[in-house]
Amino acid sequence: MKELHTVLSRQACKRLFHAPKLLKHRILLALVYSAGLRISEVIHLKQADIDFDRMQLHIRRSKYNKDRYVPLSVGIATGLKKYYDACQPREWVFVGKDGHSLMSSRGVQSLMRAAVKGAGIKKKASLHTLRDSYATHLLEDGLDLYSIQQLLGHEHVTTTLVYLHVAQRVAQQAHSPFDTLYPDAGQT
């Protein structure tokens, strides 16, 4: 039996994003969640991949060597601009301790572990948990599976279907679509 993904509540996500002391770390974690990024995608993100005018991120050569676009959150765009002003990154959005090389996967995972502890989260959570939480929260908000598949860059929809099992959706009351075409038809 395949194990279900770990998903953080929205409140836990907020606590997580506020846990790190460094602005760079807070923005990195929030960006991963806000765009459903894989660890390799956030590490290899260049400033040129962020389009503030069109409010989107260009994810290049991801898994299966595919490119995709994902929406850029207004709140994240504001945070990124503050981070750029404070830290002055050059080519890469997030750099390592030396100030110019890529952050390591190990460094990002270490930052995530510290944030999970600092936020008081008891679940076993990795950076990928933010991606799983992103997909699940979108599904709970009513976004269709096909759109979520495209945003995540999944090759097959069957990969995306796992989120149906963890989402806490409120079942809508069954109705006829005719009633939504003519909502006042039953009134006299």
Side-chain angles (χ1 to χ4, degrees):
M1 185 172 144
K2 190 171 183 176
E3 192 173 317
L4 293 178
H5 294 266
T6 299
V7 174
L8 299 177
S9 70
R10 293 166 199 261
Q11 297 80 12
C13 287
K14 285 182 179 181
R15 291 195 319 270
L16 183 81
F17 305 146
H18 291 286
K21 288 180 177 52
L22 294 178
L23 174 64
K24 170 180 147 179
H25 295 164
R26 291 192 305 267
I27 295 298
L28 186 148
L29 294 176
L31 179 63
V32 167
Y33 169 79
S34 75
L37 302 179
R38 296 176 175 100
I39 192 167
S40 63
E41 294 168 348
V42 72
I43 288 171
H44 291 98
L45 192 64
K46 294 182 177 183
Q47 289 186 54
D49 297 329
I50 300 176
D51 188 338
F52 289 104
D53 294 330
R54 297 186 67 214
M55 294 302 288
Q56 58 184 222
L57 301 174
H58 188 180
I59 309 304
R60 298 179 190 275
R61 292 173 302 285
S62 185
K63 197 169 181 179
Y64 310 113
N65 208 27
K66 291 171 61 175
D67 287 8
R68 71 182 190 282
Y69 287 98
V70 295
L72 174 62
S73 156
V74 173
I76 295 299
T78 300
L80 279 167
K81 288 175 184 177
K82 287 179 185 176
Y83 162 66
Y84 285 178
D85 288 343
C87 298
Q88 304 285 315
R90 294 201 174 116
E91 179 182 11
W92 306 101
V93 175
F94 300 105
V95 293
K97 289 181 183 178
D98 65 5
H100 58 338
S101 63
L102 291 175
M103 285 186 80
S104 68
S105 296
R106 187 172 289 179
V108 174
Q109 288 291 13
S110 176
L111 127 72
M112 177 66 178
R113 281 190 301 277
V116 166
K117 184 176 180 180
I121 296 169
K122 302 300 180 203
K123 290 181 176 183
K124 184 179 177 187
S126 67
L127 198 75
H128 200 83
T129 302
L130 293 176
R131 180 173 161 87
D132 294 336
S133 299
Y134 161 85
T136 303
H137 295 165
L138 284 176
L139 187 60
E140 290 173 348
D141 288 345
L143 191 63
D144 64 279
L145 274 174
Y146 177 76
S147 296
I148 295 170
Q149 174 192 359
Q150 298 307 304
L151 290 170
L152 292 173
H154 286 165
E155 185 85 355
H156 304 285
V157 74
T158 53
T159 308
T160 315
L161 286 173
V162 70
Y163 298 108
L164 284 176
H165 299 292
V166 292
Q168 296 178 348
R169 296 188 73 183
V170 177
Q172 284 188 309
Q173 189 174 9
H175 64 279
S176 168
F178 186 85
D179 293 336
T180 58
L181 289 175
Y182 300 99
D184 299 328
Q187 297 177 356
T188 55

Coordinates of all heavy atoms in Angstrom, one line a residue, residues 26-112:
R26 N 12.7 32.8 5.0 CA 11.3 32.9 5.1 C 10.7 33.0 3.6 O 9.7 32.3 3.3 CB 10.9 34.1 5.9 CG 11.1 34.0 7.3 CD 10.5 35.1 8.2 NE 10.8 36.5 7.7 CZ 11.8 37.2 8.2 NH1 12.6 36.7 9.1 NH2 12.0 38.4 7.8
I27 N 11.4 33.7 2.8 CA 10.9 33.9 1.4 C 11.1 32.6 0.6 O 10.2 32.2 -0.1 CB 11.7 35.0 0.7 CG1 11.3 36.4 1.3 CG2 11.4 35.0 -0.8 CD1 9.9 36.8 1.2
L28 N 12.2 31.9 0.8 CA 12.4 30.6 0.2 C 11.3 29.6 0.5 O 10.7 29.0 -0.4 CB 13.7 30.0 0.5 CG 14.2 28.8 -0.2 CD1 15.7 28.7 -0.4 CD2 13.7 27.5 0.4
L29 N 11.0 29.4 1.8 CA 9.9 28.5 2.2 C 8.6 28.9 1.6 O 7.8 28.1 1.1 CB 9.9 28.3 3.7 CG 11.1 27.7 4.3 CD1 11.0 27.7 5.8 CD2 11.4 26.3 3.8
A30 N 8.2 30.2 1.7 CA 7.0 30.7 1.3 C 6.8 30.5 -0.3 O 5.8 30.2 -0.8 CB 6.7 32.1 1.7
L31 N 7.9 30.7 -1.0 CA 7.9 30.6 -2.4 C 7.7 29.1 -2.8 O 6.9 28.9 -3.8 CB 9.2 31.1 -3.0 CG 9.4 31.0 -4.5 CD1 8.3 31.9 -5.3 CD2 10.8 31.4 -5.0
V32 N 8.3 28.2 -2.2 CA 8.2 26.8 -2.5 C 6.7 26.4 -2.3 O 6.1 25.8 -3.2 CB 9.0 25.9 -1.6 CG1 8.6 24.4 -1.6 CG2 10.5 26.1 -1.9
Y33 N 6.1 26.8 -1.2 CA 4.6 26.5 -1.0 C 3.8 27.3 -2.1 O 2.9 26.7 -2.6 CB 4.2 26.9 0.4 CG 2.7 26.9 0.6 CD1 2.0 25.7 0.8 CD2 2.0 28.1 0.5 CE1 0.7 25.7 0.9 CE2 0.6 28.1 0.7 CZ -0.1 26.9 0.9 OH -1.4 26.8 1.0
S34 N 4.0 28.6 -2.3 CA 3.2 29.4 -3.1 C 3.1 28.9 -4.6 O 2.2 29.2 -5.3 CB 3.6 30.8 -3.0 OG 4.7 31.1 -3.8
A35 N 4.2 28.2 -5.0 CA 4.3 27.8 -6.4 C 4.4 26.3 -6.6 O 4.5 25.8 -7.7 CB 5.4 28.5 -7.1
G36 N 4.3 25.5 -5.5 CA 4.4 24.1 -5.5 C 5.7 23.6 -6.1 O 5.8 22.6 -6.9
L37 N 6.8 24.2 -5.7 CA 8.1 23.9 -6.3 C 8.8 22.7 -5.7 O 8.6 22.4 -4.5 CB 9.1 25.1 -6.1 CG 8.7 26.4 -6.7 CD1 9.7 27.5 -6.5 CD2 8.4 26.3 -8.2
R38 N 9.6 22.0 -6.5 CA 10.4 20.9 -6.0 C 11.7 21.6 -5.5 O 12.0 22.7 -5.9 CB 10.8 19.9 -7.2 CG 9.6 19.2 -7.8 CD 10.1 18.3 -9.0 NE 9.0 17.5 -9.5 CZ 8.3 17.8 -10.6 NH1 8.5 19.0 -11.2 NH2 7.3 17.0 -11.0
I39 N 12.5 20.8 -4.7 CA 13.7 21.4 -4.2 C 14.7 21.8 -5.3 O 15.3 22.9 -5.2 CB 14.4 20.4 -3.1 CG1 15.5 21.2 -2.4 CG2 14.9 19.2 -3.8 CD1 16.0 20.4 -1.1
S40 N 14.8 21.0 -6.3 CA 15.7 21.3 -7.4 C 15.3 22.6 -8.1 O 16.1 23.4 -8.7 CB 15.9 20.2 -8.4 OG 14.6 19.9 -9.0
E41 N 14.0 22.8 -8.2 CA 13.4 24.0 -8.9 C 13.7 25.3 -8.2 O 14.1 26.3 -8.8 CB 11.9 23.8 -9.1 CG 11.6 22.6 -10.0 CD 10.1 22.2 -10.1 OE1 9.3 22.7 -9.2 OE2 9.8 21.4 -11.0
V42 N 13.6 25.3 -6.8 CA 13.8 26.5 -6.1 C 15.3 26.8 -6.1 O 15.8 27.9 -6.1 CB 13.2 26.4 -4.7 CG1 14.0 25.5 -3.7 CG2 13.1 27.9 -4.1
I43 N 16.2 25.7 -6.0 CA 17.6 25.9 -6.0 C 18.1 26.5 -7.3 O 19.0 27.4 -7.3 CB 18.3 24.6 -5.7 CG1 18.1 24.2 -4.2 CG2 19.8 24.7 -6.0 CD1 18.6 22.8 -3.9
H44 N 17.5 26.1 -8.4 CA 18.0 26.5 -9.7 C 17.2 27.7 -10.3 O 17.4 28.1 -11.4 CB 17.9 25.4 -10.7 CG 19.0 24.3 -10.4 ND1 18.6 23.2 -9.7 CD2 20.3 24.3 -10.7 CE1 19.7 22.4 -9.6 NE2 20.7 23.1 -10.2
L45 N 16.4 28.4 -9.5 CA 15.6 29.5 -9.9 C 16.5 30.7 -10.1 O 17.2 31.1 -9.2 CB 14.5 29.8 -8.9 CG 13.4 30.7 -9.3 CD1 12.6 30.2 -10.5 CD2 12.5 31.0 -8.1
K46 N 16.4 31.3 -11.3 CA 17.2 32.5 -11.5 C 16.3 33.7 -11.5 O 15.1 33.6 -11.7 CB 17.8 32.4 -12.9 CG 18.9 31.4 -13.1 CD 19.5 31.4 -14.5 CE 20.6 30.4 -14.6 NZ 21.3 30.4 -15.9
Q47 N 16.9 34.9 -11.2 CA 16.0 36.1 -11.2 C 15.3 36.3 -12.5 O 14.2 36.8 -12.5 CB 16.9 37.3 -10.9 CG 17.4 37.3 -9.4 CD 18.1 38.5 -9.0 OE1 17.6 39.6 -9.2 NE2 19.3 38.4 -8.5
A48 N 16.0 36.0 -13.6 CA 15.4 36.1 -14.9 C 14.1 35.2 -15.1 O 13.3 35.5 -16.0 CB 16.4 35.8 -16.0
D49 N 14.0 34.2 -14.3 CA 12.8 33.3 -14.4 C 11.6 33.9 -13.7 O 10.5 33.3 -13.7 CB 13.1 32.0 -13.7 CG 14.2 31.2 -14.5 OD1 14.4 31.4 -15.7 OD2 15.0 30.5 -13.8
I50 N 11.7 35.0 -13.0 CA 10.6 35.6 -12.3 C 10.1 36.8 -13.1 O 10.9 37.8 -13.2 CB 11.0 36.0 -10.8 CG1 11.5 34.8 -10.1 CG2 9.8 36.7 -10.1 CD1 12.0 35.0 -8.7
D51 N 8.9 36.8 -13.5 CA 8.3 37.8 -14.3 C 7.3 38.6 -13.5 O 6.2 38.1 -13.3 CB 7.6 37.2 -15.6 CG 7.1 38.3 -16.6 OD1 7.0 39.4 -16.1 OD2 7.0 37.9 -17.7
F52 N 7.8 39.7 -12.9 CA 6.9 40.5 -12.1 C 5.8 41.2 -12.8 O 4.7 41.5 -12.3 CB 7.7 41.5 -11.3 CG 8.6 41.0 -10.2 CD1 10.0 40.8 -10.4 CD2 8.1 40.5 -9.0 CE1 10.8 40.3 -9.5 CE2 8.9 40.0 -8.0 CZ 10.3 39.9 -8.3
D53 N 6.0 41.5 -14.1 CA 5.0 42.1 -14.9 C 3.8 41.2 -15.2 O 2.7 41.6 -15.1 CB 5.6 42.6 -16.2 CG 6.6 43.8 -16.0 OD1 6.4 44.5 -15.1 OD2 7.5 43.9 -16.8
R54 N 4.1 39.9 -15.6 CA 3.1 39.0 -15.9 C 2.7 38.1 -14.7 O 1.8 37.3 -14.8 CB 3.6 38.1 -17.0 CG 3.8 38.9 -18.3 CD 4.1 38.0 -19.5 NE 2.9 37.2 -19.9 CZ 3.0 36.0 -20.4 NH1 4.2 35.5 -20.6 NH2 1.9 35.4 -20.7
M55 N 3.4 38.3 -13.6 CA 3.1 37.6 -12.3 C 3.2 36.1 -12.5 O 2.3 35.4 -12.1 CB 1.8 38.1 -11.7 CG 1.8 39.5 -11.2 SD 3.1 39.9 -10.0 CE 2.4 39.1 -8.6
Q56 N 4.3 35.7 -13.0 CA 4.5 34.2 -13.1 C 6.0 33.8 -13.0 O 6.9 34.7 -13.2 CB 3.9 33.7 -14.4 CG 4.5 34.3 -15.7 CD 3.7 33.8 -16.9 OE1 4.4 33.5 -17.9 NE2 2.5 33.6 -16.9
L57 N 6.2 32.6 -12.6 CA 7.6 32.0 -12.6 C 7.7 31.0 -13.7 O 6.8 30.3 -14.1 CB 7.7 31.2 -11.3 CG 7.5 31.8 -9.9 CD1 7.6 30.8 -8.8 CD2 8.6 32.9 -9.7
H58 N 8.9 31.1 -14.3 CA 9.2 30.1 -15.4 C 10.1 29.1 -14.8 O 11.3 29.3 -14.4 CB 10.0 30.9 -16.5 CG 10.2 30.0 -17.7 ND1 10.8 30.5 -18.9 CD2 9.8 28.7 -18.0 CE1 10.8 29.5 -19.8 NE2 10.3 28.5 -19.3
I59 N 9.6 27.9 -14.7 CA 10.3 26.7 -14.1 C 11.0 26.0 -15.3 O 10.3 25.5 -16.2 CB 9.4 25.8 -13.3 CG1 8.6 26.5 -12.3 CG2 10.2 24.7 -12.7 CD1 9.3 27.4 -11.3
R60 N 12.3 26.0 -15.3 CA 13.0 25.5 -16.5 C 13.6 24.1 -16.2 O 14.1 23.9 -15.1 CB 14.2 26.4 -16.8 CG 13.7 27.8 -17.3 CD 14.9 28.7 -17.6 NE 14.4 30.1 -17.8 CZ 13.9 30.6 -18.9 NH1 13.8 29.8 -20.0 NH2 13.5 31.8 -19.0
R61 N 13.6 23.3 -17.2 CA 14.2 22.0 -17.2 C 14.0 21.2 -15.8 O 14.9 20.8 -15.2 CB 15.7 22.1 -17.5 CG 16.0 22.5 -18.9 CD 17.4 22.8 -19.2 NE 18.0 23.8 -18.4 CZ 17.8 25.1 -18.6 NH1 17.0 25.5 -19.5 NH2 18.4 26.0 -17.8
S62 N 12.8 21.1 -15.5 CA 12.4 20.4 -14.3 C 12.5 18.9 -14.5 O 13.1 18.4 -15.4 CB 11.0 20.9 -13.8 OG 10.7 20.3 -12.6
K63 N 11.7 18.2 -13.7 CA 11.7 16.7 -13.8 C 11.2 16.4 -15.3 O 10.3 17.1 -15.8 CB 10.7 16.2 -12.8 CG 10.8 14.7 -12.6 CD 10.0 14.3 -11.3 CE 10.1 12.8 -11.1 NZ 9.4 12.4 -9.9
Y64 N 11.7 15.4 -15.8 CA 11.4 15.0 -17.2 C 11.9 16.1 -18.2 O 11.4 16.1 -19.3 CB 9.9 14.7 -17.5 CG 9.3 13.8 -16.5 CD1 8.3 14.2 -15.6 CD2 9.7 12.4 -16.4 CE1 7.8 13.3 -14.6 CE2 9.2 11.6 -15.4 CZ 8.2 12.0 -14.6 OH 7.7 11.2 -13.6
N65 N 12.8 17.0 -17.7 CA 13.4 18.0 -18.6 C 12.3 18.9 -19.2 O 12.5 19.4 -20.3 CB 14.3 17.4 -19.6 CG 15.4 18.4 -20.1 OD1 15.8 19.2 -19.3 ND2 15.8 18.2 -21.3
K66 N 11.2 19.2 -18.5 CA 10.1 20.0 -19.0 C 10.1 21.4 -18.3 O 10.5 21.5 -17.2 CB 8.8 19.3 -18.6 CG 8.5 18.0 -19.4 CD 7.3 17.3 -18.9 CE 6.0 18.1 -19.0 NZ 4.8 17.4 -18.7
D67 N 9.7 22.3 -19.1 CA 9.5 23.7 -18.6 C 8.0 23.9 -18.3 O 7.1 23.2 -18.9 CB 9.9 24.7 -19.7 CG 11.4 24.8 -19.8 OD1 12.1 24.0 -19.3 OD2 11.8 25.8 -20.6
R68 N 7.7 24.8 -17.4 CA 6.3 25.2 -17.1 C 6.3 26.6 -16.5 O 7.3 27.1 -16.0 CB 5.6 24.2 -16.2 CG 6.1 24.1 -14.8 CD 5.3 23.1 -14.0 NE 5.6 23.2 -12.6 CZ 6.6 22.8 -11.9 NH1 7.6 22.2 -12.6 NH2 6.7 22.9 -10.6
Y69 N 5.1 27.2 -16.6 CA 4.9 28.5 -15.9 C 3.9 28.2 -14.7 O 3.0 27.4 -14.9 CB 4.2 29.5 -16.9 CG 5.2 30.0 -17.9 CD1 5.3 29.5 -19.2 CD2 6.1 31.1 -17.6 CE1 6.1 30.0 -20.1 CE2 7.0 31.6 -18.5 CZ 7.0 31.0 -19.8 OH 7.9 31.5 -20.7
V70 N 4.1 28.9 -13.6 CA 3.2 28.9 -12.5 C 3.0 30.3 -12.1 O 3.8 31.2 -12.2 CB 3.8 28.0 -11.3 CG1 3.9 26.6 -11.7 CG2 5.1 28.6 -10.8
P71 N 1.8 30.6 -11.5 CA 1.5 31.9 -11.1 C 2.4 32.4 -9.9 O 2.8 31.6 -9.1 CB 0.1 31.8 -10.5 CG -0.5 30.5 -11.1 CD 0.7 29.6 -11.3
L72 N 2.7 33.7 -9.9 CA 3.5 34.3 -8.9 C 2.5 35.0 -7.9 O 1.8 35.9 -8.4 CB 4.5 35.3 -9.4 CG 5.3 36.1 -8.4 CD1 6.2 35.2 -7.5 CD2 6.2 37.1 -9.2
S73 N 2.5 34.6 -6.7 CA 1.6 35.2 -5.7 C 2.0 36.7 -5.5 O 3.2 37.1 -5.5 CB 1.8 34.5 -4.4 OG 1.5 35.3 -3.3
V74 N 1.0 37.6 -5.4 CA 1.2 39.0 -5.1 C 2.0 39.2 -3.9 O 3.0 40.0 -3.8 CB -0.1 39.7 -5.0 CG1 0.1 41.2 -4.6 CG2 -0.9 39.7 -6.4
G75 N 1.7 38.4 -2.8 CA 2.4 38.5 -1.5 C 3.8 38.1 -1.7 O 4.8 38.7 -1.1
I76 N 4.1 37.0 -2.4 CA 5.5 36.6 -2.6 C 6.2 37.5 -3.5 O 7.4 37.8 -3.2 CB 5.5 35.1 -3.3 CG1 4.8 34.1 -2.3 CG2 6.9 34.7 -3.7 CD1 5.6 34.0 -1.0
A77 N 5.6 38.2 -4.5 CA 6.3 39.2 -5.3 C 6.8 40.3 -4.4 O 7.9 40.8 -4.5 CB 5.4 39.7 -6.4
T78 N 5.9 40.8 -3.5 CA 6.3 41.8 -2.6 C 7.5 41.4 -1.7 O 8.5 42.1 -1.5 CB 5.1 42.2 -1.7 OG1 4.1 42.7 -2.6 CG2 5.5 43.3 -0.7
G79 N 7.4 40.2 -1.2 CA 8.5 39.6 -0.4 C 9.8 39.5 -1.1 O 10.9 39.8 -0.6
L80 N 9.7 39.0 -2.4 CA 10.9 38.8 -3.2 C 11.6 40.2 -3.4 O 12.8 40.3 -3.4 CB 10.6 38.2 -4.5 CG 10.4 36.7 -4.5 CD1 9.8 36.2 -5.8 CD2 11.8 36.0 -4.3
K81 N 10.8 41.2 -3.7 CA 11.4 42.6 -3.9 C 12.1 43.1 -2.7 O 13.2 43.7 -2.7 CB 10.3 43.5 -4.4 CG 9.8 43.2 -5.8 CD 8.7 44.1 -6.2 CE 8.2 43.7 -7.6 NZ 7.0 44.5 -8.0
K82 N 11.5 42.8 -1.5 CA 12.1 43.2 -0.2 C 13.4 42.4 -0.1 O 14.5 43.0 0.4 CB 11.2 43.0 0.9 CG 10.1 44.0 1.1 CD 9.2 43.6 2.2 CE 8.0 44.5 2.3 NZ 7.1 44.2 3.4
Y83 N 13.4 41.2 -0.4 CA 14.6 40.3 -0.3 C 15.7 40.8 -1.2 O 16.8 40.9 -0.8 CB 14.2 38.8 -0.5 CG 15.3 37.9 -0.9 CD1 16.3 37.6 0.1 CD2 15.4 37.4 -2.1 CE1 17.3 36.8 -0.2 CE2 16.4 36.5 -2.4 CZ 17.4 36.2 -1.5 OH 18.5 35.4 -1.8
Y84 N 15.3 41.1 -2.5 CA 16.3 41.6 -3.5 C 16.9 42.9 -2.9 O 18.1 43.0 -3.1 CB 15.6 41.9 -4.8 CG 15.2 40.7 -5.6 CD1 14.6 40.9 -6.8 CD2 15.5 39.4 -5.3 CE1 14.2 39.8 -7.7 CE2 15.2 38.3 -6.0 CZ 14.5 38.5 -7.2 OH 14.2 37.4 -8.0
D85 N 16.1 43.8 -2.4 CA 16.7 45.0 -1.9 C 17.6 44.8 -0.7 O 18.7 45.4 -0.6 CB 15.5 46.0 -1.4 CG 14.8 46.6 -2.6 OD1 15.2 46.5 -3.7 OD2 13.6 47.1 -2.3
A86 N 17.3 43.9 0.2 CA 18.1 43.6 1.4 C 19.3 42.8 1.1 O 20.4 43.1 1.6 CB 17.2 42.9 2.4
C87 N 19.2 41.8 0.2 CA 20.3 40.8 0.0 C 21.1 41.0 -1.3 O 22.2 40.4 -1.5 CB 19.8 39.4 0.1 SG 19.1 39.1 1.8
Q88 N 20.5 41.7 -2.3 CA 21.2 42.0 -3.5 C 21.7 40.7 -4.2 O 22.9 40.7 -4.6 CB 22.4 43.0 -3.3 CG 22.0 44.3 -2.7 CD 21.3 45.2 -3.6 OE1 21.7 45.4 -4.7 NE2 20.2 45.8 -3.2
P89 N 20.9 39.7 -4.4 CA 21.4 38.5 -5.2 C 21.7 38.9 -6.6 O 21.1 39.9 -7.1 CB 20.2 37.5 -5.1 CG 19.0 38.4 -4.9 CD 19.4 39.6 -4.1
R90 N 22.5 38.2 -7.3 CA 22.9 38.5 -8.6 C 22.1 37.7 -9.7 O 21.2 38.2 -10.2 CB 24.4 38.4 -8.8 CG 25.2 39.4 -7.9 CD 26.6 39.6 -8.4 NE 27.2 40.6 -7.6 CZ 28.2 40.5 -6.9 NH1 28.8 39.3 -6.8 NH2 28.7 41.5 -6.2
E91 N 22.6 36.5 -10.0 CA 21.9 35.7 -11.0 C 20.9 34.8 -10.4 O 19.7 34.8 -10.8 CB 23.0 34.9 -11.7 CG 22.4 34.0 -12.8 CD 23.4 33.1 -13.5 OE1 24.6 33.1 -13.0 OE2 23.1 32.5 -14.5
W92 N 21.3 34.0 -9.4 CA 20.4 33.1 -8.8 C 19.5 33.8 -7.7 O 20.0 34.7 -7.1 CB 21.2 32.0 -8.1 CG 22.1 31.3 -9.0 CD1 23.5 31.5 -9.1 CD2 21.8 30.3 -10.1 NE1 24.0 30.7 -10.1 CE2 23.0 30.0 -10.7 CE3 20.6 29.7 -10.5 CZ2 23.0 29.1 -11.8 CZ3 20.7 28.8 -11.5 CH2 21.9 28.5 -12.1
V93 N 18.3 33.3 -7.5 CA 17.4 34.0 -6.5 C 18.0 33.7 -5.1 O 18.1 34.6 -4.3 CB 16.0 33.5 -6.7 CG1 15.1 34.1 -5.6 CG2 15.4 33.9 -8.1
F94 N 18.3 32.4 -4.9 CA 18.8 32.0 -3.6 C 20.2 31.4 -3.7 O 20.4 30.5 -4.5 CB 17.9 31.0 -2.9 CG 16.5 31.5 -2.8 CD1 15.5 31.0 -3.6 CD2 16.2 32.4 -1.8 CE1 14.2 31.5 -3.4 CE2 14.9 32.9 -1.6 CZ 13.9 32.4 -2.5
V95 N 21.2 32.0 -3.0 CA 22.6 31.6 -3.1 C 23.0 31.0 -1.7 O 22.4 31.2 -0.7 CB 23.5 32.7 -3.5 CG1 23.2 33.1 -4.9 CG2 23.4 33.9 -2.5
G96 N 24.1 30.3 -1.8 CA 24.6 29.6 -0.6 C 25.3 30.7 0.3 O 25.3 31.9 0.1
K97 N 25.9 30.2 1.4 CA 26.6 31.0 2.4 C 27.7 31.9 1.8 O 27.9 33.0 2.3 CB 27.1 30.2 3.5 CG 26.0 29.6 4.4 CD 26.6 28.8 5.5 CE 25.5 28.1 6.4 NZ 26.1 27.3 7.4
D98 N 28.3 31.4 0.7 CA 29.4 32.2 0.2 C 28.9 33.4 -0.6 O 29.7 34.3 -1.0 CB 30.3 31.3 -0.7 CG 29.6 30.8 -1.9 OD1 28.5 31.1 -2.2 OD2 30.3 30.0 -2.6
G99 N 27.6 33.5 -0.9 CA 27.1 34.7 -1.5 C 27.0 34.6 -3.0 O 26.4 35.5 -3.7
H100 N 27.5 33.5 -3.7 CA 27.4 33.5 -5.1 C 27.1 32.1 -5.7 O 26.6 32.0 -6.8 CB 28.6 34.1 -5.8 CG 29.9 33.6 -5.4 ND1 30.2 32.9 -4.3 CD2 31.1 33.6 -6.1 CE1 31.4 32.5 -4.2 NE2 32.0 33.0 -5.3
S101 N 27.4 31.0 -5.0 CA 27.1 29.7 -5.5 C 25.7 29.3 -5.1 O 25.1 29.9 -4.3 CB 28.1 28.7 -5.0 OG 28.0 28.6 -3.6
L102 N 25.2 28.2 -5.8 CA 23.8 27.7 -5.5 C 23.7 27.2 -4.1 O 24.7 26.7 -3.5 CB 23.5 26.5 -6.4 CG 23.3 26.8 -7.9 CD1 23.1 25.5 -8.7 CD2 22.1 27.8 -8.1
M103 N 22.6 27.3 -3.5 CA 22.3 26.7 -2.2 C 22.3 25.2 -2.5 O 21.9 24.7 -3.5 CB 20.9 27.1 -1.7 CG 20.9 28.5 -1.1 SD 19.3 28.8 -0.3 CE 19.5 28.0 1.3
S104 N 22.7 24.4 -1.5 CA 22.7 23.0 -1.6 C 21.3 22.4 -1.2 O 20.6 23.0 -0.4 CB 23.8 22.4 -0.8 OG 23.5 22.5 0.6
S105 N 21.0 21.3 -1.7 CA 19.8 20.6 -1.3 C 19.8 20.3 0.2 O 18.8 20.5 0.9 CB 19.6 19.2 -2.0 OG 19.4 19.4 -3.4
R106 N 21.0 19.9 0.7 CA 21.2 19.6 2.1 C 20.9 20.9 2.9 O 20.3 20.8 4.0 CB 22.6 19.1 2.3 CG 22.8 18.6 3.7 CD 24.1 17.9 3.9 NE 24.0 16.6 3.2 CZ 25.0 15.8 3.0 NH1 26.2 16.0 3.6 NH2 24.8 14.6 2.4
G107 N 21.4 22.0 2.5 CA 21.2 23.3 3.2 C 19.7 23.7 3.3 O 19.3 24.1 4.3
V108 N 19.0 23.5 2.2 CA 17.6 23.8 2.1 C 16.8 22.9 3.0 O 15.9 23.3 3.8 CB 17.1 23.7 0.7 CG1 15.6 23.9 0.7 CG2 17.7 24.8 -0.2
Q109 N 17.1 21.6 3.0 CA 16.5 20.6 3.9 C 16.8 20.9 5.4 O 15.9 20.8 6.2 CB 16.8 19.2 3.6 CG 16.2 18.7 2.3 CD 14.7 18.5 2.3 OE1 14.0 18.9 3.2 NE2 14.2 17.8 1.3
S110 N 18.0 21.4 5.7 CA 18.3 21.7 7.0 C 17.5 22.9 7.5 O 17.0 23.0 8.6 CB 19.8 22.0 7.1 OG 20.2 22.5 8.4
L111 N 17.4 23.9 6.6 CA 16.6 25.1 6.9 C 15.1 24.7 7.2 O 14.5 25.2 8.1 CB 16.7 26.1 5.8 CG 15.6 26.7 5.1 CD1 14.8 27.7 5.9 CD2 16.1 27.4 3.8
M112 N 14.6 23.8 6.4 CA 13.2 23.3 6.6 C 13.1 22.6 7.9 O 12.1 22.9 8.6 CB 12.8 22.4 5.4 CG 11.5 21.8 5.5 SD 10.2 23.0 5.4 CE 8.7 22.0 5.5

